[in-house]
Amino acid sequence: MVSKSTIIGTMQKLDIALKISGESSELSLYINQTLEILRKSEGVAFTGAFQQFLNKAPIVKSESTINFNDLENSLWEELFSMRQLGNNLWGSSIGW
């Protein structure tokens, strides 16, 4: 089971890493905006917002000129390893 705090913590680390490396791209902005939404969301709203991020972020990334360093790439992969979609019970796998 993945906890809400784990998802937010990983996304926050990625947000910070992008700021440290000086990346100010559409993807960086999207990650920051999603992070703020996730912090305020609970239950189905949280899982819906995170699922939307998982669906949209790769598109935003492919449209940007961002090049991840090793840390950023590792955090990106960690976020996407939390993808446990495919049925309506996905939200029940997130610990609150």
Side-chain angles (χ1 to χ4, degrees):
M1 178 165 41
V2 178
S3 72
K4 177 181 176 180
S5 62
T6 299
I7 293 169
I8 290 175
T10 303
M11 189 173 286
Q12 184 173 357
K13 288 176 190 174
L14 179 57
D15 183 49
I16 291 168
L18 289 170
K19 288 176 182 170
I20 289 172
S21 69
E23 289 289 353
S24 58
S25 66
E26 185 178 342
L27 179 63
S28 178
L29 179 62
Y30 180 62
I31 289 169
N32 185 269
Q33 290 171 341
T34 302
L35 182 58
E36 292 306 312
I37 291 167
L38 291 176
R39 285 182 178 140
K40 297 174 185 175
S41 300
E42 296 293 334
V44 176
F46 179 86
T47 56
F50 186 56
Q51 182 173 356
Q52 182 178 359
F53 170 80
L54 293 172
N55 293 339
K56 185 176 177 182
I59 297 165
V60 176
K61 183 181 181 219
S62 71
E63 293 174 349
S64 72
T65 58
I66 193 168
N67 292 314
F68 283 165
N69 62 34
D70 290 341
L71 174 61
E72 294 160 349
N73 193 56
S74 174
L75 291 166
W76 178 265
E77 289 177 7
E78 185 176 341
L79 269 178
F80 280 83
S81 74
M82 297 177 201
R83 180 186 301 256
Q84 297 176 15
L85 306 176
N87 62 53
N88 292 330
L89 299 176
W90 180 71
S92 66
S93 68
I94 294 182
W96 306 104

